[in-house]
Amino acid sequence: MADKKNDSLIVLAETIADNKFITGDQLVEIGISGPTLEASLSSIAMAQAELGHARLMYKWSNELQGLNASKMEVKEQTGKAFPALVNASNWLSLIAGLYANNQAVDLVIKAILKAEPPNLPTPFNKMIREQQEHLLYAKSWCKQLLRDRGAVPRVFKQHLEKAAAEVEQWLVKVEKDPQLQSEAIILNNSNLVKTFKSEIEQLTNFEEVQHV
């Protein structure tokens, strides 16, 4: 049976896992029809990595609950995935969700590693390296879409704002969670929300300057 002190950490692990699981599926479903052949091939490659990250986080969640992780079989998410990712239906909404989600997960994982919580295994080494590549890819596409012609920049920005708003709500909960703080898993000065908002603002404001 899981230790009660791990409840918030289990929810955190499952939230990351669910969003990685959905991202992996969407990168195949939508990415296969990407705007270029290179984009489609990259999406399929990233999909495998995102699904691998999901399995890693589900395994971690199971271990925190005292379950046998070796017999784990992932068939569906636990219901904690962000609606913007779940409902992504085109390249613009996919890239918006991919960027916002990976930016947030990157901040949370780095905050946990920085806190160095005692006696807590953190299986993030390979994942954080791969995630950086996905984040750079998504950010590059964000810039391309924000610089595009016609209605694309406006529509993409709407998708990005929606995805970012959902992610920000999650980060607020993580940052203020008393259990995560009391167990020294997330430190009081982690500034997750502030840093996330700054990253989004820098991205969108930079592109606005380019159009002046």
Side-chain angles (χ1 to χ4, degrees):
M1 183 177 293
D3 192 324
K4 287 290 185 182
K5 71 180 182 180
N6 286 333
D7 286 354
S8 292
L9 188 57
I10 291 166
V11 171
L12 185 149
E14 288 181 346
T15 301
I16 293 175
D18 281 358
N19 282 291
K20 290 284 187 178
F21 181 79
I22 293 297
T23 299
D25 276 356
Q26 295 286 46
L27 281 167
V28 174
E29 292 294 327
I30 300 171
I32 195 67
S33 301
T36 65
L37 177 60
E38 181 183 3
S40 295
L41 293 175
S42 296
S43 293
I44 293 171
M46 282 193 298
Q48 295 304 311
E50 290 286 331
L51 291 171
H53 298 170
R55 285 191 291 272
L56 180 67
M57 298 307 293
Y58 284 128
K59 179 182 178 182
W60 190 39
S61 171
N62 282 359
E63 289 172 348
L64 291 169
Q65 296 175 71
L67 302 176
N68 188 344
S70 64
K71 296 182 179 180
M72 177 189 65
E73 185 177 357
V74 181
K75 293 183 178 180
E76 59 184 3
Q77 60 143 325
T78 68
K80 301 179 182 67
F82 304 134
L85 266 176
V86 174
N87 298 321
S89 58
N90 54 52
W91 186 254
L92 275 64
S93 52
L94 173 64
I95 292 297
L98 178 66
Y99 175 74
N101 182 54
N102 273 297
Q103 182 67 71
V105 171
D106 188 62
L107 291 173
V108 170
I109 288 176
K110 286 180 177 178
I112 294 174
L113 293 175
K114 182 179 180 181
E116 297 182 333
N119 304 317
L120 177 66
T122 51
F124 304 138
N125 291 336
K126 181 183 179 184
M127 175 176 163
I128 202 167
R129 288 196 302 270
E130 292 178 342
Q131 188 167 267
Q132 284 297 315
E133 296 174 3
H134 297 189
L135 192 53
L136 288 172
Y137 177 86
K139 190 172 185 178
S140 174
W141 264 105
C142 285
K143 290 181 176 180
Q144 289 185 56
L145 295 170
L146 287 166
R147 283 196 297 256
D148 211 318
R149 298 179 180 180
V152 171
R154 175 181 57 80
V155 174
F156 174 72
K157 193 171 182 180
Q158 290 173 348
H159 284 301
L160 182 59
E161 288 172 349
K162 182 177 180 180
E166 293 176 359
V167 169
E168 188 179 322
Q169 289 178 3
W170 173 62
L171 289 177
V172 169
K173 293 178 182 178
V174 173
E175 193 169 37
K176 295 184 176 180
D177 190 289
Q179 197 174 69
L180 295 177
Q181 290 188 0
S182 66
E183 295 297 323
I185 295 169
I186 298 292
L187 302 179
N188 288 328
N189 62 348
S190 59
N191 294 320
L192 297 175
V193 176
K194 182 179 179 180
T195 305
F196 178 76
K197 291 175 70 173
S198 177
E199 291 290 341
I200 297 294
E201 288 172 3
Q202 285 181 32
L203 176 63
T204 55
N205 289 342
F206 172 79
E207 297 307 325
E208 286 175 1
V209 170
Q210 302 306 299
H211 285 85
V212 173

